[in-house]
Amino acid sequence: MQVLETNLEPLTWTPRSWRQRPVSQQPRYEDAEALEANLRQLSRLPPLVVPEEVEDLRRNIADAVAGKRFMLQGGDCAEQFADCTPQAITDKLRILLQMSVVITHGGRRSVFQVGRIAGQYAKPRSKDTEEVNGRELPSYRGDLINAAEATEAARRPDPRRMVEAYFHASATLNHLRSLVVGGFADLHHPERWELPGSTRRVEAYRRILDRVRESIDFIDAIAGTKGTYLRTGECFTSHEALLLPYEESLTREGSGGGFQYNLGAHMLWVGERTRALNGAHIEYLRGIRNPIGVKLGPSVSGEEVRDLLAALDPQKEAGRLVLIPRLGVERVREALPGLIQAVQATGHPVLWSCDPMHGNGLVTARGLKTRDFDQILSELRQSMQIHRALGSDLGAVHFELTGQDVTECMGGSQQLSELDLHQAYETGCDPRLNQTQSLEMAFLIADMLGGAIQS
Ligand code: PEP
Ligand code: CO
């Protein structure tokens, strides 16, 4: 961890003012000149998204705060450059769309998607080193920083990776946009997101698609035209704002209003390990206009949350903040009510999400990181009940998932057990729900939103 000059007087915000705060989870680059050269190149490259899209996401989030919409955020724990293939990108968009259709239909709340995609390349690590095949190596910090390969050389932070990450993000986003413009996300043609096989869930999903198609035909018939509003199945992008020099270089001033935007993604979040109130990450995030997610682990206090809200959302604007507790199935019942009440007392109009993944990590006897479907579901269900009991609303969910048939999390209708996990364990970091488990989760969320919460 690199700690720079500490000055806790309030700073005048600039895209670089974070450099005057203590900063955690940053790599140490050996070649300062190479670092500067790569950052200069990044700052000259075109933005990946535009301010109008960021504003659009803010409006969507504000609608979710008002209970009119629901936000589905999901994707890989760590995207890898090697996953930048048309198939992997299409699979990710497809699973988000499939889940959205199921949740919108059963939950009666229109869903918008925010992918952990096109930039989710940096990982916070609890330790600077890790043991791989009996060798102690510097930790893998995500493709933005070093390579996963188990050698000293691969694990050395390389600043050229920031420019490479930008181009991989840009190719990913370009393909996502082409899919959307080309009609892949068009609700007139949900058959493009058909599922193979014939399990109970697949049959239920097909019936929903039929119903969606009928409703759309009906609306089109009344309107006398094909509804163009149904064509914009846009997918917003998000990643953890971890590597601050990279984020700084993608910060640009918007035209007109004078706001500063991070144009490397629509939404950014701050992780549980980097959300210190006086730390560099909060200093950076407080000055940009993008919607900000804040991860909240079980040790966070109501007071800390209150201070974070004041720092990040002084104007109390709906659309600005998404709070993402990741408390774990054992802690949610004791920890969540106090957080909700603390936020209610402040009057900040936040969107409440739930990340039922990161508090529920398990390690198998063989040393694989996994998570259990029922624990994930239980944390989510309890969260929804707690919000309802306190007159609050859970308007978003946050998952690590993939559209591919991996075997990383246990449980679900395929009843994956510890012994099945080695079959297709491919994640670059944490275990993800696979396509079947994700779709099944969507049905359960739809039931919960539709009113049928069982404990
Ligand atoms: C993550 O979202 O991948 C992550 C590391 O989360 P957290 O900061 O909540 O641990
Ligand atoms: Co993760």
Side-chain angles (χ1 to χ4, degrees):
M1 183 163 108
Q2 196 180 359
V3 179
L4 300 173
E5 179 195 342
T6 309
N7 164 12
L8 297 181
E9 292 299 303
L11 300 168
T12 302
W13 188 90
T14 71
R16 315 174 44 86
S17 55
W18 64 267
R19 292 172 183 267
Q20 295 172 59
R21 293 287 193 229
V23 60
S24 52
Q25 296 282 341
Q26 305 300 291
R28 202 185 298 275
Y29 292 106
E30 283 166 12
D31 184 344
E33 254 171 58
L35 173 62
E36 284 314 311
N38 282 285
L39 293 175
R40 259 196 317 277
Q41 184 179 354
L42 270 182
S43 62
R44 281 197 303 262
L45 287 163
L48 296 175
V49 305
V50 294
E52 290 71 17
E53 295 171 310
V54 174
E55 295 295 337
D56 190 27
L57 177 56
R58 285 183 61 121
R59 282 189 291 274
N60 279 301
I61 293 176
D63 283 346
V65 173
K68 292 189 264 182
R69 302 206 69 187
F70 191 83
M71 179 168 114
L72 169 64
Q73 188 174 19
D76 295 320
C77 178
E79 276 179 288
Q80 295 176 286
F81 295 168
D83 292 338
C84 186
T85 65
Q87 193 59 51
I89 297 164
T90 307
D91 287 347
K92 286 177 206 181
L93 179 60
R94 185 192 293 111
I95 187 63
L96 289 174
L97 291 168
Q98 287 169 332
M99 292 176 77
S100 294
V101 130
V102 168
I103 298 172
T104 300
H105 184 266
R108 300 276 169 240
R109 248 163 102 162
S110 112
V111 175
F112 60 97
Q113 298 91 228
V114 181
R116 289 175 62 115
I117 198 166
Q120 176 49 21
Y121 296 120
K123 296 311 302 171
R125 300 307 305 261
S126 335
K127 290 198 291 172
D128 283 342
T129 60
E130 64 190 344
E131 206 181 287
V132 194
N133 308 328
R135 270 180 73 195
E136 186 90 345
L137 286 170
S139 297
Y140 170 58
R141 293 182 174 275
D143 280 5
L144 180 58
I145 293 162
N146 58 8
E149 202 189 316
T151 65
E152 279 285 342
R155 295 295 173 92
R156 198 166 299 135
D158 182 347
R160 284 174 303 186
R161 287 183 161 270
M162 288 191 271
V163 173
E164 268 184 77
Y166 167 91
F167 283 114
H168 281 92
S170 128
T172 302
L173 187 52
N174 182 57
H175 195 55
L176 275 179
R177 292 192 195 279
S178 309
L179 287 168
V180 170
V181 171
F184 182 78
D186 188 338
L187 275 174
H188 289 97
H189 296 286
E191 70 279 3
R192 291 170 187 163
W193 329 324
E194 275 292 1
L195 282 171
S198 66
T199 63
R200 195 165 59 85
R201 287 300 184 193
V202 169
E203 298 298 335
Y205 176 70
R206 288 211 182 108
R207 280 197 296 279
I208 289 181
L209 286 194
D210 287 342
R211 300 250 282 278
V212 168
R213 230 170 336 230
E214 273 168 32
S215 318
I216 287 174
D217 288 348
F218 178 69
I219 296 169
D220 284 349
I222 290 179
T225 167
K226 277 200 184 253
T228 47
Y229 55 90
L230 295 168
R231 292 187 54 86
T232 56
E234 78 277 81
C235 179
F236 296 103
T237 62
S238 67
H239 64 255
E240 177 171 352
L242 187 69
L243 183 63
L244 292 178
Y246 176 82
E247 304 302 343
E248 176 190 318
S249 302
L250 292 170
T251 309
R252 313 284 162 88
E253 190 167 318
S255 59
F259 291 123
Q260 296 275 346
Y261 293 84
N262 180 308
L263 297 181
H266 299 110
M267 173 176 170
L268 296 158
W269 77 86
V270 61
E272 166 65 7
R273 297 168 188 77
T274 49
R275 56 165 176 73
L277 184 63
N278 291 317
H281 290 82
I282 296 298
E283 173 59 23
Y284 171 72
L285 290 168
R286 81 181 171 90
I288 57 168
R289 171 82 180 156
N290 306 58
I292 303 299
V294 184
K295 293 287 202 92
L296 300 172
S299 67
V300 74
S301 67
E303 204 165 72
E304 239 179 305
V305 174
R306 203 186 53 206
D307 291 345
L308 284 168
L309 297 185
L312 292 170
D313 179 33
Q315 310 293 331
K316 301 193 176 177
E317 293 171 317
R320 165 66 170 166
L321 282 183
V322 182
L323 292 184
I324 316 173
R326 25 84 87 224
L327 303 168
V329 67
E330 303 292 340
R331 307 291 297 277
V332 62
R333 202 160 280 287
E334 87 194 60
L336 186 58
L339 299 181
I340 296 173
Q341 285 161 337
V343 173
Q344 284 173 329
T346 67
H348 282 274
V350 307
L351 176 61
W352 280 102
S353 181
C354 169
D355 165 359
M357 311 297 288
H358 284 90
N360 294 314
L362 303 168
V363 181
T364 68
R366 292 191 189 182
L368 280 182
K369 287 204 278 185
T370 187
R371 291 161 171 157
D372 178 66
F373 188 92
D374 288 339
Q375 292 194 342
I376 295 168
L377 177 61
S378 172
E379 179 170 352
L380 185 57
R381 195 167 261 159
Q382 291 184 56
S383 300
M384 201 157 300
Q385 287 168 339
I386 293 167
H387 276 284
R388 285 207 180 150
L390 293 173
S392 176
D393 180 48
L394 185 72
V397 285
H398 184 116
F399 286 102
E400 288 184 342
L401 54 81
T402 167
Q404 292 172 327
D405 263 327
V406 300
T407 53
E408 296 169 6
C409 291
M410 300 188 294
S413 60
Q414 297 161 304
Q415 301 185 332
L416 291 182
S417 78
E418 194 170 326
L419 298 175
D420 297 317
L421 298 183
H422 67 278
Q423 290 169 20
Y425 194 94
E426 293 166 15
T427 181
C429 193
D430 291 336
R432 303 161 294 177
L433 296 176
N434 65 22
Q435 192 202 37
T436 309
Q437 290 166 330
S438 301
L439 192 67
E440 199 167 340
M441 191 59 76
F443 275 102
L444 293 161
I445 294 170
D447 285 349
M448 288 183 231
L449 286 175
I453 301 188
Q454 303 118 26
S455 45

